[in-house]
Amino acid sequence: MASTTTGKVSDPAAAREAGPAPGSEIAETGVAYFDGAFVPLGEAKVSIATHALQYGTAVFEGIRGYWNERQEQLYVFRLREHFERMARSCRIMRIDLPGDPDELSAIVVELLRRNAFRSDVYVRPLAYKAARVVKVALHGLRDGFGIYAFPLGDYLPTGGLAARTASWRRISDEAIPARGKITGAYVNTALAVDEAVEFGADEAIFLTSDGHVSEGGGSNLFMVRDGELVTPCVTEEILEGITRETLVTIAREAGYRVVERKIDRTELFIADEVFFCGTGAQVAPCVRVDNRTVGDGRIGPVARALGERYSALAHGDDAAHPEWRTAAYR
Ligand code: PMP
């Protein structure tokens, strides 16, 4: 049976822990925002005939809130930027959002207050083609919108993971644009991660159709070569990650040189460090690629330093970049 947890104030265990592992089924006990109202999560349902369920015509976001026990505060990390990206994904998919990034951010804050979480949480907004219509197109279809949230611990192992290059190629911008966070596109991730896990790895590495490194299954990728940080550019079929942009900023502030360029697969075999990043993944160092040891097989100094700074900023223990944190509680 799948485990569940609520992470509410009434659940002291969840308040102490970082939250359940991914793969745990989400408890339907909290409050959701669904088509204009706050409702019990268990009542936020769609019809089986919903266009998005049938054809993958929805866009979503993954946002994290970090609980700071000392300050008794829940900080939402880069909230506005997530809704700005969601608006861009919606432009691609011709979905109308029910508000601008500021209005949607205010709904998230209210949702977190109503759920009264005292743990790290994950917030999932979803905008979707709601029409019960059998017509595979985008225009002229009714849209729906909802947000739910739940406690979540690490999405990927952060103690040094193993990755495997996928035999599945990353979807190209000419087929399904990876820069849009489109639900249907995650079939590509599911196939690749499933394969990686079957071969004993934790995360997949996608190559583009021309054989260059693109990104992880649900994360962006960096490598370190000769003290320089390298990450694939935005035209390499990646999701334009908010954590990627955050790490580029804090790495440059720390004095590292950061370049965005094409990466060959074998560069990962000879790199000093490889690490993944994402809202869910956070900073996840990679110590093995395709059964080869990366560097000396231990978490490298750059991934360690960036991971610690990222965590301190996200939790509000480091006061720099206040514009990145939204305090959910008064
Ligand atoms: N790439 C993919 C395919 C993802 O699903 C994610 C997670 N949203 C990322 C990259 C990282 O993006 P972000 O840092 O904005 O969460």
Side-chain angles (χ1 to χ4, degrees):
M1 206 216 287
S3 62
T4 61
T5 183
T6 63
K8 307 282 289 297
V9 180
S10 56
D11 183 352
R16 278 193 305 275
E17 291 166 12
S24 306
E25 200 157 321
I26 296 158
E28 282 195 327
T29 50
V31 176
Y33 182 81
F34 188 62
D35 285 340
F38 291 99
V39 298
L41 179 55
E43 290 175 19
K45 308 269 189 206
V46 297
S47 162
I48 195 173
T50 301
H51 198 273
L53 182 62
Q54 297 287 335
Y55 305 119
T57 47
V59 310
F60 67 108
E61 272 303 323
I63 307 169
R64 267 194 193 262
Y66 286 94
W67 174 242
N68 186 312
E69 181 73 41
R70 193 171 46 83
Q71 299 177 25
E72 299 237 311
Q73 186 55 271
L74 185 62
Y75 287 111
V76 190
F77 196 62
R78 309 212 63 176
L79 178 56
R80 191 173 203 288
E81 291 86 338
H82 280 281
F83 282 117
E84 285 168 355
R85 181 172 65 191
M86 190 170 206
R88 293 195 292 272
S89 298
C90 284
R91 282 173 77 107
I92 294 171
M93 291 298 287
R94 308 184 104 166
I95 294 172
D96 289 327
L97 283 170
D100 64 25
D102 289 329
E103 290 163 335
L104 300 177
S105 297
I107 293 171
V108 167
V109 167
E110 178 60 23
L111 179 75
L112 294 173
R113 285 181 185 167
R114 286 182 186 233
N115 281 287
F117 293 115
R118 290 169 70 88
S119 64
D120 292 349
V121 296
Y122 191 73
V123 181
R124 170 54 57 85
L126 180 77
Y128 59 101
K129 290 290 172 198
R132 299 183 297 278
V133 169
V134 182
K135 175 171 178 274
V136 189
L138 296 175
H139 62 271
L141 296 173
R142 182 168 54 85
D143 300 322
F145 180 78
I147 313 178
Y148 61 103
F150 53 93
L152 184 70
D154 287 350
Y155 179 76
L156 285 179
T158 49
L161 61 74
R164 184 185 160 88
T165 306
S167 65
W168 303 92
R169 288 293 178 263
R170 188 67 178 132
I171 41 173
S172 84
D173 197 58
E174 302 155 280
I176 302 176
R179 70 166 45 76
K181 203 164 166 58
I182 301 164
T183 58
Y186 277 75
V187 169
N188 190 219
T189 287
L191 289 167
V193 172
D194 197 60
E195 179 186 73
V197 169
E198 218 150 53
F199 280 92
D202 305 291
E203 174 64 311
I205 296 172
F206 275 121
L207 303 181
T208 60
S209 50
D210 75 352
H212 290 100
V213 174
S214 174
E215 61 178 341
S219 56
N220 291 113
L221 180 145
F222 283 83
M223 69 168 181
V224 180
R225 285 194 70 184
D226 302 324
E228 186 174 78
L229 271 146
V230 190
T231 192
C233 27
V234 294
T235 47
E236 293 295 295
E237 327 292 13
I238 66 168
L239 181 76
E240 298 179 15
I242 292 161
T243 318
R244 172 184 179 276
E245 194 260 327
T246 304
L247 294 188
V248 168
T249 302
I250 62 179
R252 287 191 173 135
E253 284 173 1
Y256 292 108
R257 205 174 115 78
V258 185
V259 282
E260 298 178 37
R261 66 157 171 85
K262 283 183 186 289
I263 296 178
D264 283 338
R265 178 185 180 188
T266 52
E267 287 191 272
L268 302 180
F269 299 169
I270 61 169
D272 302 317
E273 296 185 34
V274 172
F275 57 91
F276 296 95
C277 71
T279 300
Q282 306 171 101
V283 177
C286 172
V287 295
R288 287 185 79 72
V289 173
D290 295 344
N291 277 329
R292 288 164 175 85
T293 300
V294 176
D296 65 3
R298 287 180 299 199
I299 296 174
V302 180
R304 187 175 298 285
L306 290 179
E308 284 172 2
R309 181 92 207 284
Y310 180 80
S311 175
L313 286 165
H315 282 91
D317 289 325
D318 183 328
H321 291 293
E323 73 281 9
W324 287 350
R325 287 178 300 277
T326 303
Y329 300 155
R330 288 185 190 89

